[in-house]
Amino acid sequence: MKIQLLLACIILLSLSGCKSNTEKSKPIEKLKVLIIDGENNHGIWPKTTFMMKDYLEETGLFEVDINRKKYTWIGPHYNEVEGISDINDLLKIYPLNDEINHIPVDSTKYDPDFSPNFGAYDVVVSNLGWKSSEWPEETKKNFENYMKQGGGFVLVHAANNAWGNWTEYNKMIGLGAWGDRDVNSGPYIFYNDTNQIVKDPSDGICASHGPQYEFLLQTRAPEHPIMKGLPKLWMHTKDELYDRMRGPGDNMTILATAYSDIDKNAPPWKEDVPGTGRHEPMLMAIEYGKGRIFHSALGHMDYSFECAGFITTFQRGVEWAATGKVTQKIPKDFPTANNSSSRKWAK
């Protein structure tokens, strides 16, 4: 009898172990991400799309697709790219195998067939930029409904330049730059020197920036899931510091700011415009319907994308936009208040 009981226990333990091993080997269902690109005044975009795809996939949390517009436009705003003599070569170096005949054009061109299946993804990342062509009306409505029903959206740098006349897009992104925006688009929103949020409805230009330089970011929402655990102050690698952005700013949390120095951030091509002397929003989280948006104004060039601070906030921002939570830890190489930190990307 004792031998029978012993055999029964061994069998049960064996079955239990098999079940446990099966559960452990079950693959984690990854979050589905769609990056949209094809038109951006920042000519580095074919490379930075692949950088973002790689950054997300290296976490093990995401499965990433790219939807590139049929007509591709390499804009004029870029700096020297290592190993590249002609910026247009980036389209050949970073192609898509999507069976679409992508056609390079000298200026942005309307694509009547641009209609991604947003609903198939947990989050959409925009690497489009200034002067991006309009989307078909049905595509715009589909995207608005996707967001209202709980979709996720992440926009990077010049993606906030696009479509100043698209009311719902302006609500999604909180603040925008250029794109024919003006006082009617919403107030300037920033932090003043006494750490108060100011909404300034004054007339004036929408958006400016000075020469690229390293600048200090200040965490403003330390308990937000994207920012939790990040230092209060951290140095970002060379980049454009956008200031004077305008927008409705509804349901918007400013996650981090950077100080626009009056002299250092003055556009050299516009002598009558100084830096603002204000703490300008650089990272934002916005709620739109049931949807979540992470807005990063960082990312002018590939070296800006290589900042460990950019990478970390981007990875965490995409997870938050998709799920409302962040499970990723802060890396050991995250920048400090005194030193920026970069990871060379070469693929």
Side-chain angles (χ1 to χ4, degrees), residues 113-133:
D113 299 320
F114 183 70
S115 183
N117 181 12
F118 301 117
Y121 297 92
D122 298 294
V123 59
V124 176
V125 177
S126 178
N127 199 19
L128 296 168
W130 179 65
K131 286 194 174 182
S132 289
S133 60

Side-chain angles (χ1 to χ4, degrees), residues 41-42 77 79 157 178 205-213 239-244 263-274 300:
N41 53 308
H42 290 66
H77 302 151
N79 296 88
H157 200 57
W178 295 280
I205 63 171
C206 179
S208 63
H209 65 77
Q212 297 170 64
Y213 59 97
D239 206 341
E240 293 175 339
L241 196 167
Y242 281 2
D243 60 24
R244 293 184 175 87
D263 295 321
K264 199 170 185 178
N265 208 47
W269 55 87
K270 206 170 179 63
E271 295 182 0
D272 60 329
V273 176
H300 172 68

